[in-house]
């Protein structure tokens, strides 16, 4: 990864794209059983930190491009090297379909973007929990710089739980523009329907 000052300079000019399509989120069911369920709750990473979100940072909604990756991301399942799956669920989970229409997406699956920022898949999928015990993890520095650039609304990246197949999107909720960007939890029953922003 580039030093932070150089990283900020590159993030100010790096190419950004648009994402439109279906994404997935798997959450522990107890989180949506309240009288006021919040299926697209994005405060968790602020409280405990996440791959691209330092503790005390900014609201980030983490979504996956397919159902299996969503399950792997919350560690309800685990993919072995041979591709087979082990079910690790220890409590009920709920899978949520989420439609998104966002511009200003930074794509870490693009080799040119990785080269521009002098990073790689190994660095982006590396351990962050241990690093944040004493400082910000390198991915959290990257996420903070992207958020603070003011021009990046989301980041597409390879899942650390399934880097060969899984893709994810980290969305900076507070960078979305009403009437221009949209994230919606799809539920025909209307019980879990949410629209952001």
């Amino acid at each position: 990864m580039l030093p932070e000052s150089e990283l900020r300079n590159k993030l100010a000019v790096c190419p950004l794209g648009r994402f439109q399509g279906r994404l997935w989120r798997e959450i522990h069911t107890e989180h949506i059983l309240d009288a006021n369920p919040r299926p697209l709750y994005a405060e968790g990473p602020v409280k405990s930190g996440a791959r691209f979100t330092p503790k005390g940072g900014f609201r980030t909604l983490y979504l996956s491009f397919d159902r299996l990756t969503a399950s792997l991301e919350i560690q309800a399942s685990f993919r072995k090297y041979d591709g087979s799956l082990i079910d690790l669920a220890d409590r009920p989970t709920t899978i949520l379909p989420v439609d998104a229409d966002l511009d200003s997406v930074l794509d870490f699956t693009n080799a040119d973007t990785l080269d521009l920022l002098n990073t790689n898949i190994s660095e982006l999928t590396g351990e962050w929990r241990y690093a944040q015990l004493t400082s910000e993890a390198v991915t959290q520095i990257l996420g903070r710089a992207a958020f603070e650039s003011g021009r990046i609304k989301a980041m597409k990246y390879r899942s650390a739980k399934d880097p060969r197949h899984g893709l994810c999107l980290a969305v900076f909720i507070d960078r979305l523009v009403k009437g221009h960007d949209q994230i919606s939890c799809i539920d025909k029953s209307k019980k879990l329907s949410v629209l952001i922003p």
Side-chain angles (χ1 to χ4, degrees):
M1 188 79 64
L2 293 170
E4 188 169 351
S5 59
E6 292 180 46
L7 179 63
R8 288 179 178 278
N9 290 338
K10 297 293 186 182
L11 289 172
V13 298
C14 65
L16 304 175
R18 185 169 197 89
F19 175 81
Q20 292 176 296
R22 174 65 50 94
L23 297 164
W24 300 92
R25 184 175 202 205
E26 188 165 348
I27 61 175
H28 294 110
T29 303
E30 70 241 29
H31 298 309
I32 56 171
L33 294 178
D34 297 335
N36 183 26
R38 296 181 288 170
L40 299 183
Y41 182 71
E43 303 287 340
V46 177
K47 295 176 183 175
S48 58
R51 179 160 303 280
F52 295 105
T53 314
K55 282 185 182 180
F58 34 87
R59 295 188 303 159
T60 312
L61 181 62
Y62 288 85
L63 302 165
S64 300
F65 278 60
D66 62 81
R67 291 178 182 219
L68 174 58
T69 303
S71 183
L72 293 169
E73 283 291 312
I74 68 159
Q75 299 180 342
S77 302
F78 175 76
R79 187 189 290 275
K80 295 195 307 188
Y81 186 75
D82 66 4
S84 62
L85 294 174
I86 299 173
D87 185 4
L88 300 176
D90 59 359
R91 52 188 164 160
T93 62
T94 300
I95 189 81
L96 303 168
V98 178
D99 284 344
D101 185 356
L102 310 167
D103 68 1
S104 303
V105 177
L106 181 59
D107 187 356
F108 291 125
T109 67
N110 182 299
D112 292 337
T113 300
L114 297 179
D115 289 345
L116 181 70
L117 303 178
N118 194 31
T119 189
N120 55 57
I121 299 301
S122 294
E123 188 170 53
L124 295 178
T125 58
E127 171 56 39
W128 58 269
R129 288 178 181 86
Y130 181 75
Q132 80 168 4
L133 294 176
T134 56
S135 62
E136 287 181 342
V138 65
T139 52
Q140 292 174 337
I141 293 169
L142 173 59
R144 181 172 45 78
F147 177 80
E148 290 175 356
S149 75
R151 65 186 294 261
I152 297 168
K153 297 177 182 176
M155 299 186 301
K156 180 180 176 182
Y157 61 98
R158 294 200 176 277
S159 166
K161 301 294 190 286
D162 188 12
R164 287 176 32 189
H165 306 288
L167 298 175
C168 300
L169 196 71
V171 182
F172 301 142
I173 297 299
D174 296 316
R175 290 289 179 248
L176 303 186
V177 177
K178 190 167 186 167
H180 187 71
D181 304 296
Q182 183 172 299
I183 297 178
S184 54
C185 184
I186 307 303
D187 178 14
K188 288 185 178 180
S189 76
K190 306 297 184 191
K191 293 178 182 176
L192 298 176
S193 294
V194 178
L195 184 64
I196 299 174

